[in-house]
Amino acid sequence: MLRAVLGSVQTLGEVSGAAKKEDIKQGSLLADILAYNIIAIIYATYTSYVGVRAWYGGGAAAVGSSLMHRLYAHSEPMERLCIATTAYEFYNSLATVWFPEYRTAAFIGHHLTTLLLGVLSLHPFLHYYAIFFFGVASTSSIPLCLGEVFNAIGSVAARDACQAVFAISFLAIRTCYWPYVSAGFWRDSLEALSKRSTHVHSLAAFSFLLVSNIGLTTLQFVWTGQILTAIASAIG
């Protein structure tokens, strides 16, 4: 539908944090970038709503009363988050390969890893922590994707406003809160793995989750550095 309206119009701005224009032989159509980010906004809004409501409204607490509950209790909100995330990241993994602007190792690795995490959570597995990682953490993606839309159509003022909201939300949720929740995940995982009396369904699944958490947390700090650099540049 967007292609029918916009035709062969190219994007007017550079995709934030992704491949640079000079490294792209032929950029995507404006219609395609808009469609991609509209889908991302819908996904992020839905998962943010479900995740925040569960995390702060009692849904997470219902499955967070003990070690084994945090690791293996089933959560209905997380089941919805898991299904949505698995489907979205399957699509997103293909889309990042299709769009040259998003065809970077960081983007592709992030989406493939999140796809596998969503599949593993279907067990059910780590529903308590996944409510935060799949839900609450998505809130910072809403202003990011909105900013991408405004950037693509050349609305600089609206883009800058969204980027400011994104920077604040990212630093609060992903830079500060993410490591705190990750520390709880590591504490519970290592305790479960160290006790012979604790039933652990898959050592491979635990190992993959722990390694993935290191990679994704490192990525949050890499993006934090980019955000702080951009803020310093804007102030300077």
Side-chain angles (χ1 to χ4, degrees), residues 18-41:
K20 296 181 180 180
K21 276 192 171 182
E22 55 266 27
D23 297 329
I24 301 173
K25 293 182 179 180
Q26 183 176 357
S28 301
L29 297 177
L30 174 60
D32 295 347
I33 292 294
L34 290 179
Y36 175 80
N37 281 287
I38 288 171
I39 292 173
I41 292 169

Side-chain angles (χ1 to χ4, degrees), residues 76-93:
E76 190 274 333
M78 178 47 210
E79 182 178 339
R80 286 187 281 145
L81 286 173
C82 182
I83 293 171
T85 298
T86 302
Y88 174 71
E89 293 300 354
F90 176 77
Y91 149 80
N92 219 356
S93 297

